[in-house]
Amino acid sequence: RGFAGGRMSETLIEEVAARDESLMDRLFEKGYDEALWLAALSRQVMDCAAFPAMAGSALRGDGVEEFMRALRALVRTEWEKREREPFRALVYKIRHDAQGGRLCFFKVLSGSAAVRGEIETPQGPAKLSALSLWHGPRARSVERAAAGELCACAGLAGVMPGDTLGAGAKRRTAEWTCEPMLAADAVWDAAIPKSRVLAAFRMLEEEESSLQVEAREGDGGIAIRVMGEIQLEVLREVLKSRFGLDVSFGPARVLYRETVKAPCMGIGHYEPLRHYAEVWLRLVPTEPGSGVTFRSLCHVDTLALNWQRLIETHVLEKQHKGVLTGAPLTDVRVELLTGRAHIKHTEGGDFRQSVYRAIRNALMHGESRLLEPICRFLMRAPEECYGRLAGDLSRMRAQIEPPEYDGGRVTLRGEAPFAALSGYQTEFLAATHGKGALTVRLSRYAPCRDEDAARIVAEANYNPLADDTPDSVFCQKGAGFRVAWDHVREWAHCEMPEGI
């Protein structure tokens, strides 16, 4: 209402002048000038020196026109200038239409893109077959999208939310990736083909970054990885309403990870008839959160550089499993010590087999450590609930920062194991009589307590020989034969390099 009739209210005029001495002088000497005051307020808004507040109701349409008029008057953009720059866009959403077609939504940050034009994506060049501007459920086809516009394009396979398109196209950064902390097995009617259920999950996986889907080959099942149990309930409802699928989920289990306690070495040899590759790898524990990295200590005179680069590719191309529970391996540096190829019989796939076997072999020889997810929490509740909440957090072995009190409410921050926090939401609401708020996000992975790790490993009942094998294949008298993991060193062709 401060802009009704194209003139600010007296109160607003004084508030703007109070933040600008030159305007205050002008007000006393010559009075109010609409253009000067609007320009000054616009600068104050853009500099975060003023924060206009407006009241209204979008549902009833009250105040909407006034709000849009104020927005146009106060907010300045540089989109017209940016339109002369090279095309860049940020993908913020993936959705699918009623026919299952893939729609990629992005905001144009600079430049422009036209239908039938070619743009760069993290996967390489791609052609824009069509562009559309969306307003709620309605879409309008356009021939061109310019800087500042939100639009959608059909296709662009492989592009995900957080990816950058155009100049400097790159894969999404860490802040766009949500780390799942729970896993559950999908259960559906046997009359429904697995392919149909898996296709629905894959479609939702593209749309939601916190969802990961794994199709198991052994038992034909589907494992779902999510942020929490509430997401499983949402998934169940979405599958039913959108795809007509009645899917339930087995008991949710915490997603652990594994690493090694100390350096350990493994050998992988793969030599069936007319194939040959041998790799010696060492696993070294690294800093928490470092993931899996690679370093070569092998001289190129021992193994050609092209083979060494291929070995690095095979080390990093998949998520290797630990030997305690089959959880993903992390926080290790894989070091190439030595290796051997055959001038005639070595193919690329031979080194893949050797690398996988060498990593598994090293884990079988070494001592592994189980890591559990640690979450950062934020609790807000009535002040009188502090004693109950502090007791609960102590029971969870949480690390709590000093409480903050404000207006009869208390705020608690800290870290606790996700296994303890994952089922606490209902108990928290009961303890605060529905007046509290709890936020949980993944912070890091840390070693489990020995007693907890022993219990988790026992419950998992994991057979480390059932997945990637730690054994090797050798050849003798024209036939390949398997050598058990604990005897591979006796048959290996290479020798440990000096000084390593």
Side-chain angles (χ1 to χ4, degrees):
R1 299 180 187 282
F3 291 93
R7 181 180 175 85
M8 295 184 184
S9 65
E10 291 297 329
T11 302
L12 186 56
I13 290 172
E14 293 175 0
E15 287 290 336
V16 174
R19 292 169 171 79
D20 190 321
E21 290 186 8
S22 62
L23 282 185
M24 186 65 75
D25 294 339
R26 165 71 190 229
L27 185 63
F28 289 138
E29 295 175 3
K30 298 183 179 180
Y32 167 71
D33 182 280
E34 179 184 352
L36 289 177
W37 257 254
L38 278 176
L41 181 55
S42 177
R43 288 195 303 271
Q44 293 172 11
V45 170
M46 299 302 288
D47 293 339
C48 296
F51 300 90
M54 301 187 70
S57 170
L59 182 63
R60 298 191 301 268
D62 296 342
V64 174
E65 289 187 12
E66 291 86 346
F67 172 74
M68 296 305 297
R69 188 159 54 245
L71 191 66
R72 285 193 294 268
L74 298 179
V75 177
R76 302 287 184 267
T77 67
E78 298 180 345
W79 296 122
E80 291 185 6
K81 184 172 70 175
R82 292 189 185 181
E83 198 171 331
R84 297 189 291 271
E85 300 174 3
F87 171 76
R88 284 184 69 250
L90 178 66
V91 180
Y92 63 90
K93 182 171 67 175
I94 299 293
R95 288 294 180 265
H96 294 81
D97 58 26
Q99 291 73 39
R102 189 177 193 270
L103 290 173
C104 177
F105 289 79
F106 56 87
K107 179 172 184 175
V108 183
L109 303 177
S110 64
S112 63
V115 174
R116 293 178 294 278
E118 191 173 81
I119 63 171
E120 286 295 326
T121 76
Q123 288 73 35
K127 183 167 287 188
L128 296 175
S129 56
L131 288 171
S132 56
L133 300 180
W134 286 72
H135 303 276
R138 298 187 299 275
R140 175 171 59 89
S141 296
V142 295
E143 290 295 315
R144 179 174 170 273
E149 291 186 318
L150 304 174
C151 62
C153 173
L156 298 184
V159 172
M160 300 296 289
D163 287 358
T164 303
L165 308 177
K170 63 180 180 180
R171 178 55 78 188
R172 58 183 172 180
T173 52
E175 58 264 25
W176 281 83
T177 307
C178 298
E179 188 73 26
M181 293 175 286
L182 282 180
D185 293 328
V187 181
W188 65 92
D189 193 305
I192 303 175
K194 175 186 174 181
S195 58
R196 183 183 170 199
V197 178
L198 183 58
F201 274 123
R202 291 297 186 202
M203 196 176 291
L204 295 176
E205 184 181 28
E206 284 191 329
E207 299 178 1
E208 179 52 62
S209 63
S210 63
L211 174 65
Q212 291 183 7
V213 181
E214 177 188 0
R216 294 194 300 265
E217 296 296 332
D219 58 3
I222 299 176
I224 308 299
R225 299 182 175 186
V226 295
M227 292 288 292
E229 294 189 13
I230 294 178
Q231 191 177 3
L232 288 175
E233 289 300 313
V234 173
L235 270 176
R236 189 175 66 83
E237 292 300 323
V238 170
L239 288 166
K240 188 171 184 177
S241 61
R242 186 168 159 189
F243 301 98
L245 297 173
D246 192 3
V247 177
S248 59
F249 300 96
R253 56 188 184 275
V254 178
L255 285 172
Y256 295 94
R257 291 188 176 180
E258 297 182 30
T259 189
V260 293
K261 292 184 179 180
C264 52
M265 191 198 72
I267 302 172
H269 187 98
Y270 186 69
E271 191 188 0
L273 190 61
R274 297 187 181 89
H275 293 269
Y276 186 95
E278 182 169 299
V279 175
W280 290 41
L281 299 176
R282 181 168 62 195
L283 307 187
V284 180
T286 53
E287 292 296 318
S290 59
V292 177
T293 56
F294 176 84
R295 182 173 71 167
S296 176
L297 302 177
C298 180
H299 199 280
V300 292
D301 290 342
T302 302
L303 186 64
L305 184 59
N306 63 307
W307 294 126
Q308 294 193 32
R309 288 175 174 167
L310 184 61
I311 289 171
E312 178 180 7
T313 298
H314 294 323
V315 167
L316 303 177
E317 72 185 357
K318 66 170 286 186
Q319 192 175 69
H320 301 278
K321 294 182 179 180
V323 295
L324 296 178
T325 64
L329 181 68
T330 189
D331 298 343
V332 295
R333 182 174 65 248
V334 180
E335 297 179 341
L336 172 62
L337 305 181
T338 188
R340 182 175 294 182
H342 192 280
I343 193 170
K344 290 183 178 180
H345 299 316
T346 299
E347 299 177 355
D350 299 343
F351 273 106
R352 176 183 288 110
Q353 288 285 341
S354 295
V355 166
Y356 292 178
R357 294 167 191 268
I359 292 176
R360 199 69 168 172
N361 190 268
L363 291 172
M364 293 296 291
H365 280 290
E367 188 177 4
S368 295
R369 169 178 285 152
L370 193 67
L371 305 176
E372 66 176 340
I374 304 295
C375 288
R376 183 83 181 164
F377 64 82
L378 172 64
M379 293 181 178
R380 291 192 177 94
E383 191 174 309
E384 60 269 17
C385 299
Y386 172 70
R388 165 70 184 276
L389 297 179
D392 291 344
L393 291 172
S394 177
R395 174 172 47 83
M396 297 177 193
R397 308 190 312 276
Q399 297 177 349
I400 315 173
E401 298 174 5
E404 303 171 15
Y405 296 95
D406 181 27
R409 297 183 69 80
V410 62
T411 299
L412 296 174
R413 293 182 172 87
E415 287 186 340
F418 174 72
L421 279 172
S422 61
Y424 185 64
Q425 182 74 38
T426 303
E427 190 176 344
F428 173 80
L429 292 175
T432 60
H433 308 289
K435 299 178 181 179
L438 171 61
T439 302
V440 177
R441 62 176 176 82
L442 181 64
S443 174
R444 58 192 173 89
Y445 273 81
C448 284
R449 294 194 307 174
D450 291 342
E451 56 268 33
D452 291 340
R455 173 181 53 81
I456 294 165
V457 171
E459 291 175 354
N461 194 26
Y462 177 68
N463 179 8
L465 302 179
D467 282 321
D468 291 339
T469 178
D471 301 339
S472 285
V473 177
F474 287 83
C475 187
Q476 194 173 58
K477 297 180 180 179
F481 64 96
R482 184 179 63 85
V483 173
W485 65 271
D486 51 346
H487 291 284
V488 173
R489 183 73 179 266
E490 304 163 18
W491 290 81
H493 294 177
C494 297
E495 295 182 355
M496 176 66 80
E498 294 183 4
I500 293 181

